[in-house]
Amino acid sequence: MDEADPEVVAMLDALEAGLPRLIMDTPPYELMDAFADAAEAIAGVAGPEHASYVSARLQAMAATLPLGY
């Protein structure tokens, strides 16, 4: 893969930009599920040719989510 699909990059950028709102609007016990739902949707669009890039971006975002219930 030379470069990521612009649509996939835009989806990842939108998810990342929306994380503060997701964290504020989602009960802590539902946060990981809400993030996972969004992540799965992006991974489904990305396909296997962009899986490594998408995985790295999503892992970086997940690392910023607050822990605890």
Side-chain angles (χ1 to χ4, degrees):
M1 178 189 83
D2 291 343
E3 60 184 64
D5 180 335
E7 178 185 3
V8 172
V9 173
M11 293 174 73
L12 288 163
D13 289 347
L15 176 59
E16 188 170 24
L19 283 179
R21 174 63 55 195
L22 181 69
I23 292 166
M24 287 178 25
D25 292 349
T26 307
Y29 58 89
E30 294 178 3
L31 185 57
M32 288 308 293
D33 286 339
F35 178 78
D37 289 345
E40 287 175 14
I42 295 170
V45 170
E49 64 274 13
H50 302 291
S52 181
Y53 173 77
V54 170
S55 178
R57 289 275 315 262
L58 292 172
Q59 287 178 15
M61 285 183 236
T64 69
L65 297 176
L67 299 176
Y69 289 85

